[in-house]
Amino acid sequence: MLPIANLNLKDLYQSTFEFFASLNPSFSFSAFSAEDSASDISFPLTPRDPTPRNLSTDEESASLRDRLDAAERTDSHNPSSCDPSFGASAAASTLYSMRREHDATKNELSRTQAEVARWEERCKTLEKTLKETRDLLKVKDQEIQVLKERERRSPECHCPSTHIDRRRSRDPAHQRSDSSQSRQIRLSADWSEIRVDTLSQANGNHSRNGSNLDNMSTVSEEERAQSRSLETFLNKIDLWSGAQVIQAVQDLNSEILQFAASATELCTFSKQRPNSAKVTQASSEVATRLGAALSRLLATRDHSQDPMLVQLALQGCISYCISRALSSFCIGYQSKANITLTQIYTHMFHSEPQPTSSRWRALTHKHIHELHPELNEYAINEMTETIFRWSLDIFLISGSTNPQPNPASRENFRARFGAQVKRISKAACRLAQVTKEEIMSASFEVIAADSGQPFDGQEMMDAFEDYRSSDSVVLCTTELGLRCSTSKTTSDAPASEETIDRRILLRPKVVLESVVEVIDPR
């Protein structure tokens, strides 16, 4: 409102000045005092030309009236000159918008700070992972260096004609190689140098030089082949750790427990058992697999109220089936060939260094599956069928009315639990592949306690140890265990049992014959 008022006063001042100048030609702008000059500074639009203007009175009056009308129109169109509250509301609106922008900026800053904190945490995690990876690489480099030293000593004993390659291998630049590929490159470089030296010195002795090159080529090829074989058999890198194998066995035990519990809960039992040839044959087969004591308990006890004993028997028969399958050299392979291969590997394990026997086992198992690609699927189907057959035998001698002995009821049972049992078989076959092919530093065995064996707390675990003393014999194994064996035999040391280091990583869980007093006290 103040700038507009100044403009109006300034216009009035200019008009008044022109009016007096028209009446008195001697009137000039220089007649004003210093105070007037100071006021001119407040009005920069005031003309400073002191030249008098000769205008008529009518023209000056008309000009004055036009300026007054323009000032009135300007005042009428300016709401701020009429409403004093308009300036306050405009200032409040501006302050509100500034506050909104300030809050938005604060929120954006908070989000940015949170994002920065998250990225800093991720950066710390990546740095930690990088440090661990570097430490692991250092360990692997040390192992490779040890293997290279062994490999270097071995050709020195058997290949006296490789002095040039051994001399060059002492060069520090060649000792930085960390793989067999680097060694092959070094040998190829030596071969190229020898070839260049020989060709440069050839002055009519081409035949003699050619024979030397052929001999050196043969020696280099032999050493490369020997280094590749040593690299293969001295490799002790494991693709699975011991903790991972233990977890795989525990997962398999959980699958077995879930199947046994769900199958027992679905079935119904009767007190009366039919006396038939099928029942007699099933009782004999169950006694062969799980022992006569458990077979007698299943056939004589009443399971209609509490089928806990039937569930334990199911866990025992599946555990026995898997432990027997995993004890063979290759699951699903021919039985006679399996026996022969198992004997060869056992003898090699006791008489050869650990990397040699483990690598032979891994290569043999791998190539058997490459020669018979359908073997894995066949082994899974056979194990699934065996688990179903043994489980139905237990239901039969326990007096089960569902499933019944007729084929239709058995097929319904297979259809109901087919996927679950096949998942158990696949896990067992996968565990066999891991222990046979992907672990070189030791030999892992899935173990189970035999029926009738005295209880040993160092090698097994009582499933009901919280309810009574464990001073009985084993009735069956309900959960599989894991044992690790490492051969400390050297190539020049005689084989003995003391050179084998055996450790039980996971004790098998067993049920003792005294469990009857806990399940069905009479």
Side-chain angles (χ1 to χ4, degrees):
M1 184 169 64
L2 293 178
I4 296 174
N6 292 337
L7 181 60
N8 295 335
L9 292 175
K10 186 164 48 180
D11 291 340
L12 291 174
Y13 169 80
Q14 183 177 359
S15 301
T16 304
F17 176 79
E18 291 174 354
F19 176 77
F20 282 106
S22 61
L23 293 179
N24 188 9
S26 63
F27 180 80
S28 65
F29 184 79
S30 58
F32 285 94
S33 61
E35 295 179 357
D36 297 330
S37 299
S39 63
D40 289 344
I41 300 176
S42 304
F43 306 103
L45 297 179
T46 303
R48 297 187 178 271
D49 187 8
T51 305
R53 301 181 182 181
N54 298 322
L55 298 176
S56 63
T57 306
D58 295 336
E59 291 177 354
E60 290 299 328
S61 300
S63 175
L64 181 59
R65 283 194 296 272
D66 293 338
R67 292 179 182 274
L68 291 174
D69 293 340
E72 291 178 358
R73 286 195 300 270
T74 303
D75 292 340
S76 63
H77 288 92
N78 190 4
S80 61
S81 61
C82 300
D83 189 5
S85 63
F86 177 78
S89 62
S93 176
T94 304
L95 181 61
Y96 176 72
S97 62
M98 292 176 63
R99 286 180 178 175
R100 289 186 57 185
E101 293 177 0
H102 178 66
D103 294 340
T105 305
K106 287 178 61 178
N107 295 334
E108 185 68 24
L109 180 61
S110 300
R111 287 195 296 268
T112 305
Q113 290 176 349
E115 188 73 17
V116 169
R118 185 165 61 251
W119 281 106
E120 287 179 351
E121 187 68 23
R122 186 174 180 182
C123 182
K124 291 179 181 179
T125 304
L126 291 176
E127 289 177 354
K128 182 179 179 181
T129 305
L130 179 60
K131 183 177 181 301
E132 294 176 353
T133 305
R134 286 177 177 173
D135 295 340
L136 181 61
L137 286 176
K138 289 181 181 178
V139 174
K140 295 299 181 182
D141 289 341
Q142 292 176 0
E143 293 181 0
I144 293 174
Q145 195 66 26
V146 172
L147 296 179
K148 288 182 63 181
E149 291 296 332
R150 293 180 182 175
E151 178 185 345
R152 189 178 296 111
R153 287 196 298 269
S154 180
E156 289 178 358
C157 299
H158 301 287
C159 300
S161 59
T162 59
H163 298 288
I164 298 177
D165 292 329
R166 289 199 301 272
R167 184 178 66 252
R168 296 184 184 276
S169 66
R170 297 189 187 99
D171 189 359
H174 294 283
Q175 291 181 358
R176 297 192 198 99
S177 59
D178 294 331
S179 63
S180 60
Q181 181 180 4
S182 301
R183 181 176 176 81
Q184 293 176 7
I185 294 174
R186 176 170 52 80
L187 293 173
S188 300
D190 295 341
W191 155 253
S192 300
E193 293 176 9
I194 294 171
R195 184 173 182 272
V196 170
D197 295 340
T198 307
L199 291 176
S200 64
Q201 297 174 2
N203 296 319
N205 298 326
H206 299 288
S207 59
R208 179 171 57 83
N209 292 337
S211 63
N212 291 336
L213 290 174
D214 293 339
N215 293 336
M216 184 56 66
S217 177
T218 304
V219 171
S220 299
E221 292 294 336
E222 290 177 356
E223 185 171 352
R224 280 197 292 269
Q226 187 175 8
S227 66
R228 284 195 297 268
S229 64
L230 289 174
E231 181 77 17
T232 299
F233 276 93
L234 291 177
N235 183 15
K236 296 177 64 176
I237 299 177
D238 296 337
L239 300 181
W240 280 55
S241 64
Q244 290 176 315
V245 181
I246 292 175
Q247 186 61 48
V249 176
Q250 292 175 341
D251 293 342
L252 182 59
N253 288 330
S254 299
E255 292 283 351
I256 295 172
L257 175 60
Q258 291 176 11
F259 165 71
S262 57
T264 306
E265 185 178 359
L266 183 66
C267 297
T268 57
F269 300 91
S270 174
K271 294 181 180 180
Q272 298 178 354
R273 274 92 165 166
N275 294 325
S276 61
K278 287 185 178 181
V279 176
T280 303
Q281 182 182 358
S283 298
S284 176
E285 292 179 354
V286 170
T288 303
R289 299 164 193 151
L290 302 179
L294 183 56
S295 177
R296 183 175 60 255
L297 289 174
L298 292 174
T300 58
R301 292 270 174 175
D302 179 18
H303 310 290
S304 58
Q305 300 297 327
D306 186 8
M308 174 61 72
L309 194 60
V310 180
Q311 177 181 335
L312 297 176
L314 278 178
Q315 292 180 246
C317 84
I318 298 174
S319 300
Y320 175 73
C321 174
I322 293 176
S323 64
R324 192 183 71 166
L326 294 179
S327 64
S328 62
F329 187 85
C330 183
I331 299 179
Y333 201 46
Q334 305 170 7
S335 59
K336 291 184 179 180
N338 252 330
I339 293 173
T340 303
L341 291 172
T342 302
Q343 292 174 348
I344 293 173
Y345 173 68
T346 303
H347 185 270
M348 185 179 294
F349 179 76
H350 286 82
S351 58
E352 296 291 337
Q354 177 67 47
T356 304
S357 61
S358 296
R359 195 59 183 170
W360 180 89
R361 177 199 65 206
L363 290 174
T364 306
H365 194 271
K366 173 185 175 183
H367 286 288
I368 287 175
H369 281 272
E370 288 182 354
L371 291 174
H372 304 280
E374 74 287 350
L375 186 60
N376 188 56
E377 190 66 25
Y378 171 77
I380 293 174
N381 294 334
E382 279 294 312
M383 185 178 293
T384 303
E385 181 63 27
T386 302
I387 292 175
F388 272 125
R389 188 173 66 253
W390 290 11
S391 300
L392 290 172
D393 287 345
I394 290 177
F395 285 127
L396 180 61
I397 67 175
S398 301
S400 172
T401 58
N402 181 27
Q404 296 179 357
N406 59 76
S409 180
R410 293 190 170 221
E411 286 302 321
N412 291 335
F413 182 80
R414 293 172 187 268
R416 172 66 177 80
F417 296 102
Q420 195 170 0
V421 175
K422 195 164 188 177
R423 189 163 58 246
I424 295 174
S425 302
K426 287 182 178 179
C429 291
R430 174 57 181 158
L431 183 60
Q433 181 183 3
V434 169
T435 56
K436 297 292 193 302
E437 295 184 17
E438 301 180 8
I439 297 178
M440 301 292 124
S441 61
S443 176
F444 285 87
E445 306 167 71
V446 177
I447 57 176
D450 297 330
S451 177
Q453 176 184 353
F455 177 77
D456 185 359
Q458 300 294 328
E459 297 183 357
M460 58 193 74
M461 181 186 303
D462 184 8
F464 293 88
E465 61 182 355
D466 296 335
Y467 300 96
R468 42 149 186 72
S469 60
S470 303
D471 54 356
S472 183
V473 297
V474 176
L475 185 65
C476 67
T477 301
T478 57
E479 292 186 10
L480 297 168
L482 185 66
R483 181 170 58 202
C484 174
S485 301
T486 306
S487 175
K488 298 181 178 179
T489 307
T490 58
S491 57
D492 53 351
S496 64
E497 191 66 24
E498 291 149 359
T499 59
I500 307 299
D501 181 19
R502 288 188 171 88
R503 293 173 297 161
I504 295 181
L505 304 180
L506 181 65
R507 291 183 296 169
K509 188 173 290 188
V510 299
V511 173
L512 306 182
E513 289 186 357
S514 56
V515 72
V516 181
E517 302 174 359
V518 178
I519 296 177
D520 188 14
R522 290 183 179 179

